[in-house]
Amino acid sequence: MGSYVGVFGMGVMGQSLALNIASKGYSVSVFNRHGEATKKFMENRVQGHEDRMKLVSDSYDLKSFCDSLETPRKIILMVKAGPVVDAVTDELLPYLESGDIVIDAGNSYYKDTKRRMDYYAEKGINFFGMGVSGGEKGALVGPSIMPSGDKNLYDTYLAKLLTDISAHTADGSPCCDYIGPEGSGQYVKMVHNGIEYGDIQNIDEAYWIMKQLLGMSNAEMADVFESWNNGRLNSFLVEITYKILREKDPETGDDLIDHILDEAAQKGTGMWTAIDGLEMHMPIPTMAEAVFARNLSAIKGQRVEASKVFSEKPAAHIEDKQAFLADLEQAVYANKIIAYAQGFQLLSAASDEHNWDLKLGDIALLWREGCIIRAGFLDRIKSAYSEGKKVVNLILTDEFREEIRAAIPAYRRVVAKAIECGLYIPTMVASLQYFDGYTSEKLEANMCQAQRDWFGAHTFHRDDRPHDESFHHTWEKLD
Ligand SMILES: NC(=O)C1=CN([C@@H]2O[C@H](COP(=O)(O)OP(=O)(O)OC[C@H]3O[C@@H](n4cnc5c(N)ncnc54)[C@H](OP(=O)(O)O)[C@@H]3O)[C@@H](O)[C@H]2O)C=CC1
Ligand SMILES: O=C(CO)[C@H](O)[C@H](O)COP(=O)(O)O
């Protein structure tokens, strides 16, 4: 009898996922473009674990790999996102039969997933897109899984396997659920990553404020982040932050963080989220600023030169450090709520745009464990969606409204002080400004409309006429 499932790609994630699958009692065949990686995997991570050994089979050519699988074949691709996914699926085609299932579990662009579903369906292959989050460890012990594609096939062939290998919440609920058709699974994973960028940048700005404005040591900052992690900011990302601040460099014995270059990298999912927000005309400035923050950090050479030209930064003077730290906790929390509010508004807009019928409260629960943004806070978002009213924006819900109201004065004090001292805190500013714009009955956009109408006859609506009527004013006489 053939293996239950195949994993194509023995990189960081593929290895962990294959071991996770075997540890749940499923037989799994593994394959990698370069057989060396498969050999190393078998030698280093499978041998010596007799229980796993029995269930993992290695293949070194595509025909043997496909022949080793029970039918209909279920093949999980864990390869580099982009054209590689098309290339490896095309390479598999000669060895597949009608009805086989190929699941792309990488961080693929959701529009590519839809295109692939349509293209491979014509060849009789059922293509699925599946967001997976949790990094190397999550993939090994239980990631958050966001699958999309044909619902009936999912229920028949994939649901049990994927829920078995996913993370589970304390009450035993799996962090895996069918998301919807097309590339909706990878879309939800993309927005997860956009929120991840916002969460990371929010924490990093808090670190920077403590370091630059309060002059705190790494050890002192670690204690603050640890105390936050015991409160409402409890999350995987805050937890790793305080642990990072306590990590020593094996080479020098110094705090490792102080030797890490301040140039952030990225693989593209945060940028796609920002682009999608722009394309959907959705205001998601916090996530966009988190991407720009990485871009700005990466032009280090220019920053070094510019810092010599504009070297003056006003000195910080904070009288009551403990009070300021309490304000900072409020600022980080408010920034977080507002960023998630933007992310869920984007999901909601995408769901309407593509007719995906996304269950936003359930998505919050999928992210409760296993993924990079996992946090107790996500239960609160689920609750907000369970209030029985349509959620227009999370900041308006009973769950978050009063907390936001209470946090805003402290949030303003922190941002004002940081700006006064010349600190770069883009997501803190972006979320506060989003809040101020979103909660303003009137904005300056009447002037924008007048200007557009002046130079381009773009028309405007009037406050004393029905909204479906457009007006153009003759601002100047043209000869
Ligand atoms: N790392 C993470 O934390 C997470 C990653 N992901 C996503 O999972 C996917 C895999 O990531 P990860 O395991 O980290 O990446 P790795 O770089 O560790 O592995 C990449 C895999 O892709 C294969 N590959 C690359 N190019 C080709 C090609 N032209 N033909 C065939 N195979 C190829 C590699 O094979 P070879 O060894 O032969 O080069 C290798 O197996 C990506 O889409 C990533 O975005 C998702 C969630 C978390
Ligand atoms: O998907 C992930 C976690 O959810 C990956 O870790 C992803 O690579 C992170 O994105 P980036 O490299 O752009 O920071």
Side-chain angles (χ1 to χ4, degrees):
M1 187 158 158
S3 293
Y4 188 78
V5 61
V7 175
F8 185 133
M10 287 289 101
V12 171
M13 293 294 283
Q15 292 191 29
S16 287
L17 206 67
L19 292 176
N20 180 358
I21 291 169
S23 73
K24 300 295 178 322
Y26 293 96
S27 51
V28 55
S29 291
V30 297
F31 177 82
N32 197 63
R33 166 182 60 162
H34 296 121
E36 272 309 297
T38 312
K39 273 210 181 79
K40 274 197 189 137
F41 168 70
M42 296 301 287
E43 283 163 15
N44 299 339
R45 300 193 72 181
V46 178
Q47 284 182 8
H49 297 268
E50 297 314 319
D51 47 339
R52 285 179 189 167
M53 189 68 184
K54 279 190 293 213
L55 292 168
V56 184
S57 326
D58 45 338
S59 302
Y60 296 90
D61 66 85
L62 282 176
K63 182 172 184 317
S64 325
F65 175 60
C66 293
D67 287 350
S68 74
L69 300 169
E70 67 174 50
T71 55
R73 295 175 181 81
K74 300 175 281 300
I75 299 178
I76 299 177
L77 304 181
M78 249 314 175
V79 296
K80 190 175 174 195
V84 172
V85 176
D86 300 291
V88 301
T89 313
D90 285 343
E91 285 165 22
L92 281 166
L93 278 182
Y95 311 106
L96 299 182
E97 290 168 83
S98 182
D100 285 349
I101 295 170
V102 175
I103 308 145
D104 174 19
N107 281 337
S108 293
Y109 186 49
Y110 75 101
K111 289 183 184 171
D112 287 340
T113 303
K114 161 89 172 93
R115 170 181 58 74
R116 288 173 187 137
M117 282 178 180
D118 295 343
Y119 176 74
Y120 292 111
E122 285 173 17
K123 300 178 185 310
I125 303 304
N126 300 301
F127 196 91
F128 279 73
M130 184 166 92
V132 175
S133 180
E136 183 177 16
K137 188 172 174 194
L140 181 66
V141 299
S144 167
I145 303 182
M146 296 147 258
S148 56
D150 183 283
K151 173 83 167 88
N152 288 331
L153 288 173
Y154 173 79
D155 287 341
T156 310
Y157 295 109
L158 302 178
K160 181 159 177 357
L161 168 73
L162 298 178
T163 50
D164 281 354
I165 65 168
S166 73
H168 286 68
T169 58
D171 68 3
S173 313
C175 293
C176 169
D177 201 2
Y178 176 76
I179 298 289
E182 304 176 343
S184 56
Q186 267 139 347
Y187 187 88
V188 169
K189 172 69 202 301
M190 178 191 83
V191 176
H192 163 285
N193 280 22
I195 292 173
E196 177 182 306
Y197 273 53
D199 259 351
I200 289 174
Q201 183 63 25
N202 185 16
I203 293 167
D204 300 351
E205 289 170 22
Y207 153 72
W208 203 234
I209 286 170
M210 281 189 249
K211 187 177 167 80
Q212 298 296 106
L213 289 191
L214 299 175
M216 292 169 68
S217 68
N218 293 328
E220 288 170 325
M221 289 188 278
D223 290 346
V224 171
F225 280 115
E226 186 171 11
S227 73
W228 288 359
N229 196 48
N230 292 326
R232 60 185 178 171
L233 283 168
N234 171 269
S235 65
F236 169 71
L237 286 168
V238 171
E239 183 190 336
I240 63 170
T241 303
Y242 78 74
K243 291 180 176 168
I244 288 167
L245 286 164
R246 289 180 185 149
E247 192 75 13
K248 295 289 173 198
D249 177 11
E251 280 183 34
T252 60
D254 300 339
D255 291 348
L256 180 57
I257 187 69
D258 293 334
H259 284 294
I260 296 179
L261 207 57
D262 54 335
E263 291 175 5
Q266 56 187 303
K267 294 215 176 94
T269 45
M271 179 187 73
W272 292 342
T273 310
I275 290 173
D276 205 70
L278 290 170
E279 282 182 355
M280 303 262 291
H281 296 193
M282 289 300 293
I284 54 161
T286 308
M287 287 178 275
E289 283 294 351
V291 181
F292 291 141
R294 293 197 192 187
N295 298 345
L296 190 67
S297 78
I299 48 172
K300 170 97 181 173
Q302 290 184 40
R303 288 193 287 116
V304 169
E305 291 312 310
S307 73
K308 291 177 194 156
V309 179
F310 296 101
S311 56
E312 321 74 21
K313 296 262 185 204
H317 177 67
I318 290 160
E319 277 176 15
D320 187 340
K321 188 170 150 183
Q322 287 313 317
F324 192 82
L325 279 173
D327 279 0
L328 186 58
E329 191 270 348
Q330 296 267 25
V332 171
Y333 191 63
N335 186 358
K336 186 176 174 83
I337 299 173
I338 295 167
Y340 278 69
Q342 294 167 32
F344 276 80
Q345 279 212 316
L346 182 62
L347 286 174
S348 173
S351 183
D352 292 347
E353 170 80 13
H354 303 291
N355 290 315
W356 284 338
D357 192 23
L358 297 180
K359 307 281 184 288
L360 300 185
D362 294 347
I363 287 170
L365 277 194
L366 290 189
W367 295 343
R368 177 69 182 79
E369 293 292 344
C371 66
I372 303 300
I373 63 169
R374 60 185 178 264
F377 170 78
L378 285 149
D379 280 336
R380 309 269 316 277
I381 296 183
K382 169 70 180 169
S383 299
Y385 279 98
S386 310
E387 282 171 11
K389 293 170 235 156
K390 181 170 165 50
V391 174
V392 177
N393 188 314
L394 283 169
I395 67 167
L396 301 176
T397 59
D398 293 347
E399 191 68 38
F400 293 113
R401 195 177 50 238
E402 294 313 317
E403 267 184 322
I404 285 275
R405 200 190 306 283
I408 289 295
Y411 191 3
R412 290 194 197 288
R413 286 193 290 273
V414 168
V415 168
K417 184 50 100 177
I419 294 288
E420 186 190 317
C421 297
L423 256 61
Y424 179 56
I425 49 156
T427 67
M428 290 231 179
V429 172
S431 286
L432 187 55
Q433 284 289 277
Y434 170 90
F435 173 82
D436 284 332
Y438 191 79
T439 56
S440 293
E441 183 192 349
K442 283 201 176 275
L443 289 175
E444 65 284 357
N446 52 337
M447 182 57 79
C448 173
Q449 286 299 83
Q451 289 157 336
R452 291 177 66 247
D453 190 56
W454 183 305
F455 61 69
H458 292 302
T459 75
F460 52 86
H461 302 298
R462 293 183 56 102
D463 67 356
D464 51 2
R465 300 289 175 83
H467 197 264
D468 56 3
E469 287 181 37
S470 296
F471 298 88
H472 169 56
H473 178 72
T474 305
W475 297 95
E476 62 182 342
K477 282 230 168 327
L478 299 178
D479 292 333

